[in-house]
Amino acid sequence: MSELFDAVDALLASRAPLPPPEERKRLRRAHGLTVEEVAAALKVRRATVSGWESGKTEPRPPERDAYARLLDGLAKLYPAPANTTAPSEDTAVPETFTGPAAPAPEARTPSTGQTSEAAAMTTAENTQPRPAPTAAPRPARTTRSTPASRRPGAKKAAPAGTPAGGTDPRFANGPLAVIDVDADGQVLAYCTGGLVLDVPAKSIPALVDWTLREAKLGQPKLSGPGKDADPLLVLTEAALERYGLPVALTEEERLAGRLPEGHKVIKQLARAEWKLTKRGFGPWARIYRPAQGAERACVQLCIPSWHALDTRHWGHAGQLPPAELARVLGVYASRVMTPRGSTAVTGLELMTALHPPTRASEPDASGKRHSEHNPGSLGKDPVDPAPCEAPDGHPVLKDLPRFHVRGPGEKLFEEAYDWARPMTDAECTLRHLVGIDVNMAFAAGANGLTVGLGAPTHVTNPVFDPKLPGSWLVDLSHVDLSKVKVGKEWVELDGSLLPSPFTPKGERPEGPAWYATPTVAYAAELGYEVHPTEAWVRYENGRYLDGWYQRLRDAYLVTMADLGVDADLAPADFLAAMDGYKNRDPELAIVVSAIKATVKGGLGKLRERPRGEGWRPGEPWRALSRPTWRPDIRAAVISRTRINLHRKIVKHAAFTGQYPIAILSDCVVYASNGPSPLDFLPYRDGKPLPGGFKLGINPGLVKHEGTQTVLWGEEVRERFNAPELNLARYIKDGAVTDVDNGE
């Protein structure tokens, strides 16, 4: 019987509410305990306890149970003073249980006690308690409000990684909601932070109207001249059925990317005077009415069962229960922005949100303000690229012969590395191949990069200026990697074992070619003179991507910290923390994947190609109408990213005599006697080689990508009769299913 009681006590402890973060710190200090002492007792790191006390993270079992027991004992010894002011955002609802995922509704009970300001503005009656929907995977208390949305007070212990509700009263219920139908047929809106709203709408037009009038969903603008984010509604399969929409698109609808114009729901929207954007009613539909002054009336829909959430970037998010899906998307929205489509679309929209094209002018003589160009932005009108920057088929190339193939002297070709070489005899005597991967490599390449903001200017026989963004026609074939400058000193290297920094395939250039500014600047940095014969430069320029990088960097770092990977870990601790980090909270791991995809996809969108639409070479395509269609910016970021990597490789080779076996984009493979990066990276007293590879989670630092044996590498190359098979492509899991074709 005692064992049963112990089991019951354990269950109670695992669901016991924790005091607010400020109270946790007060209790520890009242007993004279240090953070280190608590961390040692609970067998966690000091930073973990600090995160619990700051509210950045929440404890999870089994540490949570012990932590709750400690706090409960301290609370009995040191009760809170009677005159302690209650938290300003609390007391409207019960506390939320903590756990690795967002709370799913078990009992959506009426609030008791003092109500918040938002609650006081709603109708007087509250909804009676209901049983939980069957989709709820974990027990948790949450709030159910009346159709006139009511924001509960802040929970005393919110689940780790769950964003708090917006402070703007217009968006009190967060940026988005997942719309579902429970077992009783009630339509529910699962918001961030565990809030659940009753939805009275009986049709899609009514749902849009309810969202704009009562739901209090949305997100404040990210920049002064910008626009607030429109509310996002995610429709589950049950919600689709309730509102007369198909659970899945037919093959014809999928290829078209939308429902046919004659669908009954589209007719309902038209009768209610709602409009759809040109993309129609597809996986990411936008429903709006023309803006009245500064007031926008727009709601975006996300439909996972129509493949709105690409599994390559969002993993299994589309199959999550509503509350957990709201948590994943809510964390992403709070740290990046409310999704506007695919991660690529969102990455591009984030650039515009941080640098809106226009702003309000100073008042004129009559006191009126007008729209004017926002300095530092790309403006509201697209600009044509230089001919060398334009992809094949662009209108600026329409006068070229139809089947003309442009070479390096006509076309800028800045792409990521895809290079490999045979192993030397000495390398074959080693035991392992170790891959290291640069964190957020392209984001790091964008950081601090000066890019063009306006149209290019053509210059002949220019003097190269490393601070001037543009494209330069220059011969770099004379750069010899056997003797280069590293810092201020000339060093001799084995150039045959290094890729050229000037071509994606690592081949030495054979004559004049077009390069972005960072590539030409690196040739000069290596100690060689450069004499361009022609250039397209942009005198209007700036660090357009800095804010974009900083927001995505911060989103990445704070989410990785939630997963137990902090930015200040020692090398060995970092490798240990990275081992299996995705399993600590699979939902937050989805957010990490989406953040990284936002970086790469957003940069890729800068040179979006035609997507069907009956396009013919020489004709414009839809993407060209965007000011953010800027292939020169994409080229500059990729150029700088590749150069950053090559610089580290050269410094590593000069210091250690080790050379890479293969490089794929941001992954580099070295031969090593041991299986860990620490077996070949030249750390001394815990400090890395200055300017070389450094282990860590920050963008630009490296992590362990994977380890295979040298015998594995030789075997797969022999099997496919490919001595230069790019082993970086397969180093992670060792699976090689077909011959390497570079795709």
Side-chain angles (χ1 to χ4, degrees):
M1 184 64 71
S2 62
E3 293 180 357
L4 293 177
F5 287 161
D6 291 342
V8 171
D9 290 342
L11 287 176
L12 291 174
S14 68
R15 297 296 186 266
L18 294 174
E22 298 81 2
E23 178 67 3
R24 302 170 197 174
K25 183 182 294 186
R26 185 193 72 81
L27 291 171
R28 174 179 60 77
R29 288 178 172 175
H31 200 58
L33 297 174
T34 65
V35 173
E36 290 80 2
E37 288 174 322
V38 175
L42 299 178
K43 297 182 179 179
V44 297
R45 293 179 296 109
R46 181 189 187 282
T48 301
V49 177
S50 296
W52 297 345
E53 292 188 353
S54 67
K56 292 181 179 178
T57 58
E58 289 295 324
R60 303 186 183 94
E63 292 83 4
R64 185 190 188 283
D65 303 346
Y67 190 47
R69 184 182 182 90
L70 170 65
L71 295 175
D72 183 59
L74 294 176
K76 293 176 181 177
L77 294 173
Y78 311 100
N83 61 349
T84 299
T85 304
S88 60
E89 293 180 315
D90 199 10
T91 70
V93 291
E95 295 166 351
T96 302
F97 290 125
T98 59
E106 181 183 36
R108 297 178 293 278
T109 59
S111 301
T112 58
Q114 179 184 352
T115 58
S116 65
E117 181 179 353
M121 297 165 61
T122 63
T123 53
E125 66 274 14
N126 287 314
T127 308
Q128 295 301 314
R130 282 178 178 269
T134 56
R138 308 180 173 84
R141 298 181 209 153
T142 182
T143 302
R144 176 165 178 188
S145 80
T146 57
S149 67
R150 178 161 64 88
R151 176 67 181 171
K155 285 72 175 173
K156 290 184 179 179
T162 301
T167 56
D168 191 320
R170 298 172 300 157
F171 312 128
N173 294 332
L176 56 89
V178 179
I179 308 299
D180 192 36
V181 182
D182 69 7
D184 297 331
Q186 173 64 49
V187 180
L188 302 173
Y190 292 78
C191 306
T192 58
L195 176 69
V196 182
L197 306 175
D198 285 335
V199 180
K202 305 297 183 184
S203 66
I204 289 293
L207 178 63
V208 172
D209 188 68
W210 171 83
T211 302
L212 294 172
R213 291 177 181 273
E214 302 180 45
K216 293 187 178 181
L217 296 173
Q219 191 175 34
K221 57 189 177 183
L222 298 179
S223 175
K227 299 175 181 177
D228 297 327
D230 299 317
L232 173 65
L233 299 181
V234 185
L235 303 183
T236 66
E237 293 184 8
L240 293 173
E241 292 178 344
R242 167 61 63 90
Y243 290 120
L245 292 165
V247 170
L249 298 178
T250 66
E251 184 64 16
E252 182 180 357
E253 292 167 348
R254 187 188 65 80
L255 293 174
R258 63 180 70 195
L259 292 178
E261 294 298 320
H263 193 279
K264 63 179 182 179
V265 171
I266 296 179
K267 291 180 178 180
Q268 290 173 1
L269 290 168
R271 285 195 297 269
E273 299 183 343
W274 289 105
K275 298 180 180 294
L276 292 165
T277 57
K278 290 182 179 179
R279 74 171 70 174
F281 204 119
W284 291 93
R286 297 188 70 80
I287 303 171
Y288 73 100
R289 286 185 179 134
Q292 301 293 326
E295 292 296 323
R296 290 167 57 83
C298 182
V299 172
Q300 178 156 320
L301 303 184
C302 168
I303 306 178
S305 67
W306 295 4
H307 305 294
L309 301 176
D310 191 326
T311 55
R312 294 172 298 175
H313 310 139
W314 289 103
H316 64 286
Q319 284 72 53
L320 289 174
E324 298 183 20
L325 179 55
R327 181 203 182 209
V328 169
L329 295 177
V331 171
Y332 179 89
S334 67
R335 296 176 180 177
V336 180
M337 69 179 300
T338 303
R340 293 288 304 272
S342 67
T343 50
V345 169
T346 304
L348 200 67
E349 291 289 338
L350 180 60
M351 297 179 195
T352 303
L354 293 169
H355 287 286
T358 60
R359 67 178 184 182
S361 68
E362 293 297 323
D364 59 17
S366 62
K368 292 185 178 180
R369 296 179 183 268
H370 305 277
S371 177
E372 66 177 15
H373 175 74
N374 183 29
S377 76
L378 300 181
K380 59 184 180 64
D381 299 316
V383 297
D384 282 335
C388 62
E389 297 165 350
D392 294 337
H394 192 279
V396 302
L397 305 174
K398 62 182 178 182
D399 294 333
L400 288 178
R402 183 175 180 184
F403 297 106
H404 177 72
V405 178
R406 295 185 294 161
E410 298 173 279
K411 181 179 180 180
L412 177 70
F413 193 66
E414 295 283 10
E415 298 295 339
Y417 266 131
D418 186 354
W419 169 87
R421 63 169 176 82
M423 283 186 274
T424 65
D425 291 343
E427 288 166 341
C428 288
T429 65
L430 303 177
R431 299 180 60 187
H432 298 94
L433 296 175
V434 183
I436 53 177
D437 181 80
V438 181
N439 296 311
M440 301 270 283
F442 294 101
N447 181 31
L449 178 65
T450 301
V451 300
L453 301 178
T457 300
H458 185 246
V459 184
T460 56
N461 297 317
V463 175
F464 176 68
D465 183 353
K467 297 181 180 179
L468 186 60
S471 301
W472 310 79
L473 181 61
V474 58
D475 188 350
L476 299 180
S477 60
H478 64 291
V479 178
D480 184 4
L481 296 181
S482 297
K483 187 177 182 181
V484 297
K485 262 190 174 181
V486 177
K488 296 182 179 180
E489 297 181 358
W490 286 92
V491 298
E492 293 186 359
L493 303 171
D494 189 340
S496 66
L497 301 180
L498 287 170
S500 167
F502 310 126
T503 61
K505 290 292 184 180
E507 301 164 345
R508 187 168 179 169
E510 297 179 351
W514 286 97
Y515 302 101
T517 297
T519 303
V520 185
Y522 185 57
E525 179 186 324
L526 291 175
Y528 293 84
E529 293 186 355
V530 294
H531 300 288
T533 58
E534 189 180 347
W536 289 88
V537 296
R538 288 173 167 81
Y539 294 110
E540 182 188 356
N541 54 65
R543 292 165 58 160
Y544 175 73
L545 295 173
D546 274 10
W548 183 81
Y549 159 78
Q550 289 161 9
R551 186 160 181 88
L552 289 165
R553 174 205 61 194
D554 292 348
Y556 176 68
L557 291 180
V558 72
T559 309
M560 290 301 294
D562 286 342
L563 288 164
V565 186
D566 294 319
D568 57 353
L569 293 175
D573 293 337
F574 167 71
L575 292 174
M578 286 294 294
D579 187 20
Y581 76 92
K582 294 182 180 180
N583 298 327
R584 295 176 199 139
D585 191 329
E587 291 165 18
L588 284 184
I590 293 174
V591 178
V592 171
S593 173
I595 292 170
K596 293 192 289 188
T598 303
V599 173
K600 290 188 177 181
L603 294 172
K605 277 280 184 180
L606 291 169
R607 200 190 69 161
E608 184 177 359
R609 301 304 308 276
R611 306 178 69 179
E613 306 168 0
W615 174 79
R616 294 181 179 180
E619 296 178 352
W621 57 91
R622 184 182 301 176
L624 300 188
S625 63
R626 297 192 318 250
T628 49
W629 193 85
R630 292 294 301 272
D632 58 296
I633 296 179
R634 172 187 177 273
V637 173
I638 294 176
S639 164
R640 192 162 186 248
T641 303
R642 192 181 68 246
I643 294 307
N644 285 346
L645 183 59
H646 195 274
R647 184 181 292 111
K648 288 180 170 61
I649 289 170
V650 166
K651 290 193 175 183
H652 184 85
F655 188 79
T656 67
Q658 299 169 338
Y659 295 84
I661 302 295
I663 311 172
L664 182 67
S665 187
D666 47 11
C667 176
V668 188
V669 176
Y670 282 91
S672 169
N673 261 328
S676 167
L678 288 175
D679 292 317
F680 71 92
L681 293 182
Y683 272 85
R684 288 186 176 177
D685 299 324
K687 295 181 179 180
L689 171 68
F693 295 109
K694 178 182 178 181
L695 290 166
I697 199 59
N698 276 294
L701 306 188
V702 299
K703 61 180 181 293
H704 185 202
E705 178 69 4
T707 295
Q708 304 297 329
T709 65
V710 168
L711 290 177
W712 164 86
E714 288 295 277
E715 188 274 329
V716 295
R717 284 179 164 178
E718 182 178 345
R719 187 196 324 163
F720 293 112
N721 192 27
E724 295 184 0
L725 182 76
N726 195 331
L727 299 176
R729 182 171 280 109
Y730 316 107
I731 195 71
K732 189 166 189 175
D733 58 13
V736 185
T737 56
D738 202 354
V739 66
D740 183 8
N741 61 5
E743 292 296 326

